[in-house]
Amino acid sequence: MADKPTVQLSLAKLRKEVKTADVLKMALSGSKVITFPDVYAMESTEAEDIFARLNRSATNWTVIRKWLSKEDADALQAEKLSVIELATVMRAAIQHYEDIYGTAGEGNASAG
């Protein structure tokens, strides 16, 4: 009879231990507030697609529309941001989460 394997890790325990970030809220003109959801807390295949698109272009409306709700993406687009303004918004949103979790693939242990 084979020995019962020793389990060192369980998904149930990991899910209880994982901490997520507060979502990033951004104020727009006219007292509108939009939300940049926590990509790290999304289902992994959905997040993987967003991360891949973010790495290709910081001003891609396709990725913004995948990341934000339709209403929030429409409100952001209505601001008529310049390329540099939009790139700055995207970098700030990404940085918000990287400050908490670390750079994708590195974790926050390497950030300090």
Side-chain angles (χ1 to χ4, degrees):
M1 180 174 191
D3 290 335
K4 183 176 178 181
T6 302
V7 176
Q8 288 83 15
L9 187 63
S10 82
L11 190 53
K13 184 177 178 187
L14 283 177
R15 284 185 169 152
K16 287 179 186 175
E17 292 175 1
V18 168
K19 303 289 185 241
T20 57
D22 291 333
V23 295
L24 175 65
K25 300 280 188 178
M26 179 181 170
L28 303 179
S29 61
S31 299
K32 294 178 191 151
V33 176
I34 64 171
T35 301
F36 284 85
D38 182 354
V39 179
Y40 290 88
M42 291 179 177
E43 192 276 325
S44 58
T45 55
E46 181 183 6
E48 188 175 82
D49 184 45
I50 292 172
F51 281 126
R53 291 173 186 264
L54 285 170
N55 287 334
R56 288 195 301 261
S57 175
T59 61
N60 185 330
W61 280 102
T62 302
V63 70
I64 293 169
R65 292 195 173 281
K66 286 184 102 22
W67 188 0
L68 278 60
S69 69
K70 180 184 181 333
E71 180 180 276
D72 285 352
D74 288 347
L76 184 61
Q77 194 164 22
E79 293 291 323
K80 304 280 189 209
L81 302 173
S82 68
V83 171
I84 192 62
E85 289 171 332
L86 183 57
T88 302
V89 166
M90 297 305 293
R91 277 195 305 273
I94 293 163
Q95 190 64 51
H96 170 78
Y97 292 110
E98 286 183 349
D99 286 349
I100 295 164
Y101 297 116
T103 304
E106 293 181 8
N108 59 3
S110 64

